[in-house]
Amino acid sequence: MAGRLLKVSSLATAVFASSGFYLYSRQLDLNDLSVVRFGRAAATTAVISYDYLTAFKHVEHGTNEYWAIKSKVHRRSAERLRDLCCANRGTFIKVGQHLGALDYLLPEEYTSTLKVLHSRAPQSSMEEIQQVIREDLGKELSELFVSFEEKPQGAASLAQVHKAVLHDGRTVAVKVQHPKVQRQSSKDIMVIEVLVRAVHWLFPDFAFMWLVEEAKKNMPLELDFLNEGLNAVKVSNMLADFPFLKVPMIHWDLSTKRILTMEFAEGGQVNDRDYMKKHDINVNEISENLGKIYSEMIFVHGFVHCDPHPGNVLVRKCPQSKKTEIVLLDHGLYQVLQPDFRLDYCRLWQALINSDMSGMERYSRRLGAGDLYPLFACVLTARSWKAVNAGISSVPVTHSEDVEIRTNAAQYLPQISELLNRVPRQMLLLLKTNDLLRGIETTLQTRASSSSFINMSRCCIRAMARHKRSKARSGRRRLQITLAESLSLWKLSAYELLLWLKGSMMGHWLAALLALLH
């Protein structure tokens, strides 16, 4: 028996030593091993699940003590999830960033904790960057660029951006993919899917399969930088009528699936009020123009940039014209809306803006919300049910209403999860986009301004008229539709002028004069 044990221990020692020597000789990072990444994710999931299973055993549901404990559990779990994302990096950080953007869908403890992942993205070494460029472009850095800054301008979950100068003197931004992301992403998504299913089995109310489905669909697209370049060209042509929008030009000869070289554009982040003040940039103008860009993308064209976090939206004074510009970066994640979905979405927003409650219910149901249509309306607008009933375009947003919504996000998490599993997949990225845009508006203090609703209404009217004209069988009918469209747009412009007069000094003079005459 002792001899057998000696043989087994000797064999185990030999295997362990040879494995260690193999890993050392290959200079492998343990974090690259799938078993390590899976083990770390499984352990974190188990700890979080155990915390939720045991924390409320001796507490009565619905009491103040229950909600206080639940908030602490949310916070602990969010911190564990954040640490897991930072450790596993890549796809995990991307998914964590996605969750952190869902301000009005997830409890505040999760969103505030996971938001830091935008600044915790990993950095690849200069050697790794050079290797990717060498493999994909077949040349050394010195052959391609006069200068190449080693310190990245920014690092994201999938790539990092370096400033460089071409031999013809033009300054460019070179986006280089982290070398290990491509290989790890499919395995990471599989791990996330297994763990999400396990948690759903333990907690039936936890229904986050939509998150896995979105990651499966979008991650391969985001990892293809040629696809990102094509999206940038498409949106630039599509919104060419907006002189205030700048999309950096792509250098196709220096771009591959893992490298994207583009025109370098300087500017401050869209939520940087100090930068805007320093450069004499009007906050309200920026907010209004950003609303125009996204209303046009969503309602008219159905081709939507779905990652407008502040790092991807810059503002600046154009070096040539000195006019204010919005620079839109990172075109990897777009949503293409199906025509029927887009038109129902138009009709739903028109109903919400016009306080048409029957229309709101009808089109919410058509978009898959079912009996959860009141919750859907609140999620979509980030307004309370009371404000939706009163009219979101006429009732200002208050701090107490925002607090109420965030509290409800924690209380109605099972219903929100069910709703997100019901609605079409196209809706999910739109909801994320809505939340990111609202976050920007909140920082700029322009939430729910009348101009944003007017711009949305204008785009909805144009989209509906375009659809009706495409279905019209006679020139006379098309003329009627065009005239009706022009009349509706004229009414909106008149209403906009009235609001401007009301808020201007001239409006105050007219009001005083009328009061005097009366």
Side-chain angles (χ1 to χ4, degrees), residues 183-209:
R183 186 175 67 251
Q184 292 171 343
S185 64
S186 58
K187 295 174 186 174
D188 285 348
I189 291 170
M190 187 169 66
V191 166
I192 292 169
E193 181 174 10
V194 168
L195 296 176
V196 167
R197 288 187 185 279
V199 173
H200 179 56
W201 178 75
L202 274 174
F203 305 95
D205 286 343
F206 180 91
F208 271 63
M209 281 311 298

mmCIF file of all heavy atoms in Angstrom, residues 183-209:
data_model
loop_
_atom_site.group_PDB
_atom_site.id
_atom_site.type_symbol
_atom_site.label_atom_id
_atom_site.label_comp_id
_atom_site.label_asym_id
_atom_site.label_seq_id
_atom_site.Cartn_x
_atom_site.Cartn_y
_atom_site.Cartn_z
ATOM 1 N N ARG A 183 -9.917 35.439 -28.829
ATOM 2 C CA ARG A 183 -9.858 34.020 -28.495
ATOM 3 C C ARG A 183 -10.753 33.684 -27.299
ATOM 4 O O ARG A 183 -11.337 32.599 -27.230
ATOM 5 C CB ARG A 183 -8.403 33.653 -28.186
ATOM 6 C CG ARG A 183 -8.152 32.176 -27.966
ATOM 7 C CD ARG A 183 -6.682 31.871 -27.786
ATOM 8 N NE ARG A 183 -6.119 32.413 -26.551
ATOM 9 C CZ ARG A 183 -5.272 33.433 -26.493
ATOM 10 N NH1 ARG A 183 -4.889 34.047 -27.595
ATOM 11 N NH2 ARG A 183 -4.801 33.874 -25.339
ATOM 12 N N GLN A 184 -10.867 34.624 -26.352
ATOM 13 C CA GLN A 184 -11.577 34.325 -25.111
ATOM 14 C C GLN A 184 -13.078 34.605 -25.174
ATOM 15 O O GLN A 184 -13.840 34.027 -24.398
ATOM 16 C CB GLN A 184 -10.979 35.156 -23.970
ATOM 17 C CG GLN A 184 -9.566 34.768 -23.589
ATOM 18 C CD GLN A 184 -8.941 35.745 -22.610
ATOM 19 O OE1 GLN A 184 -9.432 36.867 -22.446
ATOM 20 N NE2 GLN A 184 -7.861 35.340 -21.961
ATOM 21 N N SER A 185 -13.508 35.465 -26.083
ATOM 22 C CA SER A 185 -14.883 35.998 -26.024
ATOM 23 C C SER A 185 -15.960 34.910 -26.110
ATOM 24 O O SER A 185 -16.906 34.908 -25.321
ATOM 25 C CB SER A 185 -15.102 37.043 -27.123
ATOM 26 O OG SER A 185 -14.991 36.445 -28.394
ATOM 27 N N SER A 186 -15.836 33.968 -27.063
ATOM 28 C CA SER A 186 -16.873 32.944 -27.223
ATOM 29 C C SER A 186 -16.961 32.051 -25.990
ATOM 30 O O SER A 186 -18.059 31.664 -25.556
ATOM 31 C CB SER A 186 -16.614 32.106 -28.477
ATOM 32 O OG SER A 186 -15.335 31.502 -28.402
ATOM 33 N N LYS A 187 -15.793 31.728 -25.395
ATOM 34 C CA LYS A 187 -15.796 30.896 -24.176
ATOM 35 C C LYS A 187 -16.401 31.661 -23.013
ATOM 36 O O LYS A 187 -17.143 31.099 -22.201
ATOM 37 C CB LYS A 187 -14.362 30.469 -23.845
ATOM 38 C CG LYS A 187 -13.732 29.554 -24.887
ATOM 39 C CD LYS A 187 -12.264 29.305 -24.565
ATOM 40 C CE LYS A 187 -11.588 28.519 -25.692
ATOM 41 N NZ LYS A 187 -10.131 28.394 -25.474
ATOM 42 N N ASP A 188 -16.079 32.949 -22.921
ATOM 43 C CA ASP A 188 -16.624 33.774 -21.837
ATOM 44 C C ASP A 188 -18.147 33.865 -21.910
ATOM 45 O O ASP A 188 -18.835 33.787 -20.887
ATOM 46 C CB ASP A 188 -16.014 35.178 -21.879
ATOM 47 C CG ASP A 188 -14.575 35.206 -21.379
ATOM 48 O OD1 ASP A 188 -14.140 34.198 -20.793
ATOM 49 O OD2 ASP A 188 -13.895 36.221 -21.585
ATOM 50 N N ILE A 189 -18.664 34.034 -23.108
ATOM 51 C CA ILE A 189 -20.118 34.131 -23.276
ATOM 52 C C ILE A 189 -20.783 32.820 -22.875
ATOM 53 O O ILE A 189 -21.848 32.808 -22.242
ATOM 54 C CB ILE A 189 -20.473 34.512 -24.730
ATOM 55 C CG1 ILE A 189 -20.036 35.953 -25.019
ATOM 56 C CG2 ILE A 189 -21.971 34.370 -24.984
ATOM 57 C CD1 ILE A 189 -20.108 36.347 -26.471
ATOM 58 N N MET A 190 -20.140 31.695 -23.210
ATOM 59 C CA MET A 190 -20.670 30.391 -22.824
ATOM 60 C C MET A 190 -20.695 30.248 -21.307
ATOM 61 O O MET A 190 -21.664 29.751 -20.724
ATOM 62 C CB MET A 190 -19.820 29.287 -23.456
ATOM 63 C CG MET A 190 -20.379 27.887 -23.267
ATOM 64 S SD MET A 190 -19.507 26.680 -24.285
ATOM 65 C CE MET A 190 -17.873 26.729 -23.531
ATOM 66 N N VAL A 191 -19.640 30.710 -20.644
ATOM 67 C CA VAL A 191 -19.573 30.672 -19.178
ATOM 68 C C VAL A 191 -20.695 31.517 -18.578
ATOM 69 O O VAL A 191 -21.400 31.074 -17.653
ATOM 70 C CB VAL A 191 -18.199 31.189 -18.689
ATOM 71 C CG1 VAL A 191 -18.219 31.476 -17.183
ATOM 72 C CG2 VAL A 191 -17.110 30.184 -19.016
ATOM 73 N N ILE A 192 -20.863 32.728 -19.105
ATOM 74 C CA ILE A 192 -21.914 33.626 -18.594
ATOM 75 C C ILE A 192 -23.291 32.982 -18.777
ATOM 76 O O ILE A 192 -24.142 33.043 -17.887
ATOM 77 C CB ILE A 192 -21.830 34.990 -19.303
ATOM 78 C CG1 ILE A 192 -20.538 35.718 -18.895
ATOM 79 C CG2 ILE A 192 -23.047 35.854 -18.963
ATOM 80 C CD1 ILE A 192 -20.221 36.948 -19.732
ATOM 81 N N GLU A 193 -23.503 32.335 -19.933
ATOM 82 C CA GLU A 193 -24.798 31.690 -20.197
ATOM 83 C C GLU A 193 -25.073 30.572 -19.195
ATOM 84 O O GLU A 193 -26.174 30.473 -18.638
ATOM 85 C CB GLU A 193 -24.827 31.131 -21.617
ATOM 86 C CG GLU A 193 -26.150 30.460 -21.962
ATOM 87 C CD GLU A 193 -26.245 30.018 -23.412
ATOM 88 O OE1 GLU A 193 -25.220 30.056 -24.126
ATOM 89 O OE2 GLU A 193 -27.338 29.632 -23.837
ATOM 90 N N VAL A 194 -24.085 29.724 -18.932
ATOM 91 C CA VAL A 194 -24.250 28.618 -17.981
ATOM 92 C C VAL A 194 -24.602 29.155 -16.596
ATOM 93 O O VAL A 194 -25.518 28.659 -15.927
ATOM 94 C CB VAL A 194 -22.956 27.766 -17.916
ATOM 95 C CG1 VAL A 194 -23.000 26.809 -16.722
ATOM 96 C CG2 VAL A 194 -22.768 26.988 -19.209
ATOM 97 N N LEU A 195 -23.895 30.206 -16.168
ATOM 98 C CA LEU A 195 -24.107 30.744 -14.830
ATOM 99 C C LEU A 195 -25.436 31.484 -14.708
ATOM 100 O O LEU A 195 -26.114 31.389 -13.674
ATOM 101 C CB LEU A 195 -22.943 31.660 -14.447
ATOM 102 C CG LEU A 195 -21.585 30.950 -14.328
ATOM 103 C CD1 LEU A 195 -20.479 31.943 -14.034
ATOM 104 C CD2 LEU A 195 -21.621 29.866 -13.255
ATOM 105 N N VAL A 196 -25.828 32.195 -15.748
ATOM 106 C CA VAL A 196 -27.137 32.882 -15.733
ATOM 107 C C VAL A 196 -28.267 31.860 -15.655
ATOM 108 O O VAL A 196 -29.249 32.048 -14.923
ATOM 109 C CB VAL A 196 -27.286 33.796 -16.967
ATOM 110 C CG1 VAL A 196 -28.739 34.250 -17.126
ATOM 111 C CG2 VAL A 196 -26.383 35.018 -16.840
ATOM 112 N N ARG A 197 -28.138 30.753 -16.377
ATOM 113 C CA ARG A 197 -29.158 29.691 -16.316
ATOM 114 C C ARG A 197 -29.217 29.067 -14.919
ATOM 115 O O ARG A 197 -30.301 28.765 -14.402
ATOM 116 C CB ARG A 197 -28.865 28.617 -17.362
ATOM 117 C CG ARG A 197 -29.132 29.049 -18.790
ATOM 118 C CD ARG A 197 -28.995 27.894 -19.771
ATOM 119 N NE ARG A 197 -29.131 28.340 -21.148
ATOM 120 C CZ ARG A 197 -30.288 28.563 -21.762
ATOM 121 N NH1 ARG A 197 -31.429 28.354 -21.091
ATOM 122 N NH2 ARG A 197 -30.334 28.967 -23.012
ATOM 123 N N ALA A 198 -28.052 28.892 -14.315
ATOM 124 C CA ALA A 198 -28.009 28.317 -12.965
ATOM 125 C C ALA A 198 -28.684 29.239 -11.957
ATOM 126 O O ALA A 198 -29.467 28.786 -11.099
ATOM 127 C CB ALA A 198 -26.549 28.067 -12.561
ATOM 128 N N VAL A 199 -28.409 30.537 -12.067
ATOM 129 C CA VAL A 199 -29.036 31.509 -11.150
ATOM 130 C C VAL A 199 -30.551 31.557 -11.385
ATOM 131 O O VAL A 199 -31.333 31.650 -10.430
ATOM 132 C CB VAL A 199 -28.396 32.908 -11.324
ATOM 133 C CG1 VAL A 199 -29.146 33.943 -10.501
ATOM 134 C CG2 VAL A 199 -26.931 32.885 -10.910
ATOM 135 N N HIS A 200 -30.973 31.483 -12.635
ATOM 136 C CA HIS A 200 -32.416 31.484 -12.950
ATOM 137 C C HIS A 200 -33.091 30.252 -12.344
ATOM 138 O O HIS A 200 -34.247 30.318 -11.904
ATOM 139 C CB HIS A 200 -32.619 31.524 -14.458
ATOM 140 C CG HIS A 200 -34.064 31.502 -14.868
ATOM 141 N ND1 HIS A 200 -34.988 32.436 -14.427
ATOM 142 C CD2 HIS A 200 -34.752 30.657 -15.676
ATOM 143 C CE1 HIS A 200 -36.176 32.160 -14.945
ATOM 144 N NE2 HIS A 200 -36.057 31.081 -15.690
ATOM 145 N N TRP A 201 -32.383 29.118 -12.325
ATOM 146 C CA TRP A 201 -32.937 27.909 -11.719
ATOM 147 C C TRP A 201 -33.115 28.096 -10.209
ATOM 148 O O TRP A 201 -34.114 27.660 -9.627
ATOM 149 C CB TRP A 201 -31.990 26.731 -12.005
ATOM 150 C CG TRP A 201 -32.441 25.441 -11.398
ATOM 151 C CD1 TRP A 201 -33.456 24.622 -11.816
ATOM 152 C CD2 TRP A 201 -31.889 24.813 -10.219
ATOM 153 N NE1 TRP A 201 -33.567 23.538 -10.979
ATOM 154 C CE2 TRP A 201 -32.629 23.621 -9.995
ATOM 155 C CE3 TRP A 201 -30.834 25.146 -9.351
ATOM 156 C CZ2 TRP A 201 -32.342 22.763 -8.931
ATOM 157 C CZ3 TRP A 201 -30.563 24.288 -8.292
ATOM 158 C CH2 TRP A 201 -31.300 23.115 -8.094
ATOM 159 N N LEU A 202 -32.142 28.772 -9.580
ATOM 160 C CA LEU A 202 -32.235 29.032 -8.142
ATOM 161 C C LEU A 202 -33.270 30.103 -7.815
ATOM 162 O O LEU A 202 -34.009 30.006 -6.842
ATOM 163 C CB LEU A 202 -30.871 29.494 -7.615
ATOM 164 C CG LEU A 202 -29.859 28.434 -7.190
ATOM 165 C CD1 LEU A 202 -28.543 29.095 -6.835
ATOM 166 C CD2 LEU A 202 -30.371 27.609 -6.012
ATOM 167 N N PHE A 203 -33.294 31.167 -8.655
ATOM 168 C CA PHE A 203 -34.195 32.310 -8.438
ATOM 169 C C PHE A 203 -35.036 32.502 -9.706
ATOM 170 O O PHE A 203 -34.602 33.210 -10.629
ATOM 171 C CB PHE A 203 -33.402 33.590 -8.156
ATOM 172 C CG PHE A 203 -32.434 33.482 -7.011
ATOM 173 C CD1 PHE A 203 -31.095 33.163 -7.237
ATOM 174 C CD2 PHE A 203 -32.856 33.697 -5.715
ATOM 175 C CE1 PHE A 203 -30.199 33.063 -6.188
ATOM 176 C CE2 PHE A 203 -31.958 33.607 -4.653
ATOM 177 C CZ PHE A 203 -30.627 33.280 -4.891
ATOM 178 N N PRO A 204 -36.196 31.869 -9.799
ATOM 179 C CA PRO A 204 -37.022 31.952 -11.023
ATOM 180 C C PRO A 204 -37.344 33.384 -11.452
ATOM 181 O O PRO A 204 -37.553 33.645 -12.640
ATOM 182 C CB PRO A 204 -38.296 31.197 -10.631
ATOM 183 C CG PRO A 204 -37.843 30.250 -9.562
ATOM 184 C CD PRO A 204 -36.792 30.977 -8.798
ATOM 185 N N ASP A 205 -37.370 34.328 -10.487
ATOM 186 C CA ASP A 205 -37.666 35.731 -10.835
ATOM 187 C C ASP A 205 -36.507 36.399 -11.569
ATOM 188 O O ASP A 205 -36.674 37.436 -12.199
ATOM 189 C CB ASP A 205 -37.979 36.546 -9.563
ATOM 190 C CG ASP A 205 -39.352 36.228 -9.003
ATOM 191 O OD1 ASP A 205 -40.167 35.650 -9.760
ATOM 192 O OD2 ASP A 205 -39.606 36.529 -7.829
ATOM 193 N N PHE A 206 -35.328 35.808 -11.454
ATOM 194 C CA PHE A 206 -34.145 36.366 -12.122
ATOM 195 C C PHE A 206 -34.142 35.843 -13.561
ATOM 196 O O PHE A 206 -33.776 34.705 -13.827
ATOM 197 C CB PHE A 206 -32.879 35.932 -11.384
ATOM 198 C CG PHE A 206 -31.601 36.446 -11.995
ATOM 199 C CD1 PHE A 206 -31.048 37.659 -11.587
ATOM 200 C CD2 PHE A 206 -30.938 35.732 -12.983
ATOM 201 C CE1 PHE A 206 -29.866 38.128 -12.137
ATOM 202 C CE2 PHE A 206 -29.760 36.197 -13.547
ATOM 203 C CZ PHE A 206 -29.226 37.401 -13.119
ATOM 204 N N ALA A 207 -34.588 36.698 -14.491
ATOM 205 C CA ALA A 207 -34.717 36.263 -15.891
ATOM 206 C C ALA A 207 -33.879 37.166 -16.783
ATOM 207 O O ALA A 207 -34.390 38.075 -17.429
ATOM 208 C CB ALA A 207 -36.191 36.299 -16.313
ATOM 209 N N PHE A 208 -32.575 36.921 -16.807
ATOM 210 C CA PHE A 208 -31.663 37.801 -17.542
ATOM 211 C C PHE A 208 -31.062 37.124 -18.777
ATOM 212 O O PHE A 208 -29.973 37.477 -19.213
ATOM 213 C CB PHE A 208 -30.545 38.289 -16.611
ATOM 214 C CG PHE A 208 -30.894 39.560 -15.883
ATOM 215 C CD1 PHE A 208 -31.952 39.590 -14.986
ATOM 216 C CD2 PHE A 208 -30.192 40.726 -16.097
ATOM 217 C CE1 PHE A 208 -32.285 40.750 -14.316
ATOM 218 C CE2 PHE A 208 -30.527 41.900 -15.423
ATOM 219 C CZ PHE A 208 -31.565 41.912 -14.540
ATOM 220 N N MET A 209 -31.809 36.166 -19.358
ATOM 221 C CA MET A 209 -31.304 35.508 -20.553
ATOM 222 C C MET A 209 -31.162 36.496 -21.709
ATOM 223 O O MET A 209 -30.345 36.292 -22.613
ATOM 224 C CB MET A 209 -32.224 34.354 -20.960
ATOM 225 C CG MET A 209 -32.028 33.094 -20.129
ATOM 226 S SD MET A 209 -30.300 32.571 -19.952
ATOM 227 C CE MET A 209 -29.868 32.237 -21.645
#
